[in-house]
Amino acid sequence: MARGKAKESDGNWKKFIWNSDKKEFLGRTGGSWFKILLFYLIFYGCLAGIFIGTIQVMLLTISEFEPKYQDRVAPPGLTVIPQVLKTEVSFSMSDPKSYEEYVAGLNGFLKNYNSSQQTDEMIFDDCPDKPHDYIIRGAFNNGQGQKKVCRFRREWLENCSGIHDSSYGYKDGKPCVVVKLNRILGFKPKPPLNDSLPPEMMGKYNPYVLPVHCFAKKEEDADKIGTVEYYGMGGYAGFPLQYYPYYGMLLQPKYLQPLMAVQFTNLTYDTEVRVECKVYGENIHYSDKDRFQGRFEVKFDIKSS
């Protein structure tokens, strides 16, 4: 009896899969399957068409060269080269291997600033070699092809250029760092008002330069920093305005950010010294949540032996 019921149950599910009497597969005839598949094909085809059409219409309103909205873009960050773990520069003057990493980082970054890399007159422009006002190169489109960029001479970094001293001062315990302002498409930095600067910076104020200043992060380190030398275009410690605005990688693939360098020539040895550097400008802001927004910190630990 039980075996008979099992055979009957077996036959039912087999018959459901394929009913040879009614020519049905899973309860539907071939015509029924064709109609339902045709319905879903048309239905999902229409959905895909609506989605693709919506995307195409949206793309017509967006430029590949310029973001439509930039109202939520934060002010640019300040970056220090060499980029090191935990922004700590620690080395021994008597051991070249201890600062090899820092020298390699500076060499790798500055190689694009060699004169040999800036010879193409179709790409590089002869901009003023003194700080100057913004250079506007037209609309954010490729109607006139790629846009030219200003040259930046590595020689302007003087003692920190690596040309005359391949160790960038590290072998003498006078380390150099190179500073750059991160790129933001279309951003035009506004220099600060003279009276808003620290007193020690007012004497070198230039209305076409975004100045940078370094100082002791902690009050107890103030007498450990010693003399700080700044190098940049025209001898100014900052970023000249003629390199802005930046038009993006599509329109300015060879763009060179303006640089400035800082050399700490008399740091106290065999102790940790924390330094903070800030860039000053009317539209440069600082954030407690982002310690690189408009500034950076670096800790030096130079061993005399």
Side-chain angles (χ1 to χ4, degrees):
M1 185 76 175
R3 187 175 296 176
K5 284 186 179 179
K7 283 185 177 179
E8 185 179 342
S9 167
D10 240 14
N12 285 340
W13 71 262
K14 287 180 179 178
K15 194 171 186 179
F16 172 74
I17 294 175
W18 172 248
N19 189 328
S20 57
D21 298 331
K22 297 182 179 180
K23 306 296 183 185
E24 290 178 347
F25 176 67
L26 296 178
R28 291 182 179 275
T29 62
S32 176
W33 276 114
F34 175 77
K35 289 175 184 178
I36 197 168
L37 289 175
L38 181 63
F39 168 78
Y40 280 110
L41 182 66
I42 295 172
F43 176 70
Y44 286 113
C46 290
L47 286 182
I50 292 170
F51 175 75
I52 292 171
T54 303
I55 294 297
Q56 290 299 320
V57 170
M58 183 189 71
L59 290 176
L60 292 175
T61 68
I62 296 176
S63 168
E64 62 178 319
F65 303 104
E66 181 183 22
K68 191 173 181 66
Y69 301 106
Q70 286 186 281
D71 54 317
R72 292 183 178 272
V73 176
L78 200 62
T79 299
V80 59
I81 316 300
Q83 294 179 327
V84 291
L85 187 66
K86 297 181 180 178
T87 60
E88 179 178 347
V89 175
S90 176
F91 64 95
S92 171
M93 290 187 292
S94 59
D95 181 11
K97 287 189 176 180
S98 66
Y99 53 80
E100 190 177 62
E101 173 191 356
Y102 309 134
V103 172
L106 286 162
N107 283 333
F109 177 75
L110 291 175
K111 65 182 180 181
N112 289 330
Y113 289 82
N114 291 334
S115 296
S116 60
Q117 302 294 316
Q118 305 178 50
T119 57
D120 194 335
E121 297 292 336
M122 299 296 291
I123 296 174
F124 295 95
D125 201 2
D126 290 319
C127 303
D129 58 2
K130 297 290 183 183
H132 197 268
D133 205 355
Y134 309 111
I135 296 180
I136 308 299
R137 302 183 185 276
F140 281 81
N141 58 54
N142 63 347
Q144 298 177 332
Q146 291 184 354
K147 301 184 184 298
K148 285 189 172 185
V149 299
C150 289
R151 292 179 173 88
F152 189 94
R153 306 292 183 187
R154 184 170 176 173
E155 293 82 1
W156 292 336
L157 301 181
E158 299 183 41
N159 292 350
C160 292
S161 65
I163 296 173
H164 306 295
D165 178 6
S166 60
S167 77
Y168 298 91
Y170 284 83
K171 66 181 176 59
D172 300 318
K174 301 177 180 180
C176 285
V177 296
V178 172
V179 184
K180 66 172 183 172
L181 193 65
N182 292 347
R183 304 177 187 185
I184 293 182
L185 195 144
F187 179 71
K188 296 202 301 187
K190 296 179 182 178
L193 301 174
N194 194 11
D195 58 4
S196 66
L197 293 172
E200 56 269 33
M201 297 180 65
M202 291 183 181
K204 290 190 175 182
Y205 176 76
N206 187 304
Y208 300 126
V209 172
L210 209 65
V212 174
H213 181 58
C214 297
F215 50 90
K217 174 65 177 175
K218 297 181 178 179
E219 192 174 331
E220 57 265 30
D221 288 340
D223 59 346
K224 299 176 184 177
I225 290 183
T227 305
V228 180
E229 300 288 347
Y230 301 92
Y231 307 108
M233 174 190 277
Y236 288 97
F239 310 112
L241 297 186
Q242 64 257 46
Y243 291 85
Y244 303 97
Y246 168 55
Y247 281 80
M249 285 299 294
L250 291 178
L251 295 176
Q252 290 182 319
K254 296 291 186 178
Y255 174 76
L256 294 175
Q257 293 157 274
L259 307 176
M260 56 88 56
V262 186
Q263 185 174 27
F264 301 91
T265 61
N266 195 23
L267 286 169
T268 301
Y269 301 152
D270 302 311
T271 186
E272 292 183 354
V273 183
R274 294 183 179 274
V275 176
E276 182 176 44
C277 296
K278 280 186 176 182
V279 59
Y280 295 85
E282 285 192 49
N283 53 353
I284 299 292
H285 307 292
Y286 314 108
S287 169
D288 292 333
K289 296 180 180 179
D290 184 355
R291 61 195 179 110
F292 290 102
Q293 184 174 304
R295 61 184 175 180
F296 68 82
E297 297 174 20
V298 60
K299 180 173 71 174
F300 289 99
D301 184 7
I302 303 175
K303 298 173 179 62
S304 56
S305 59

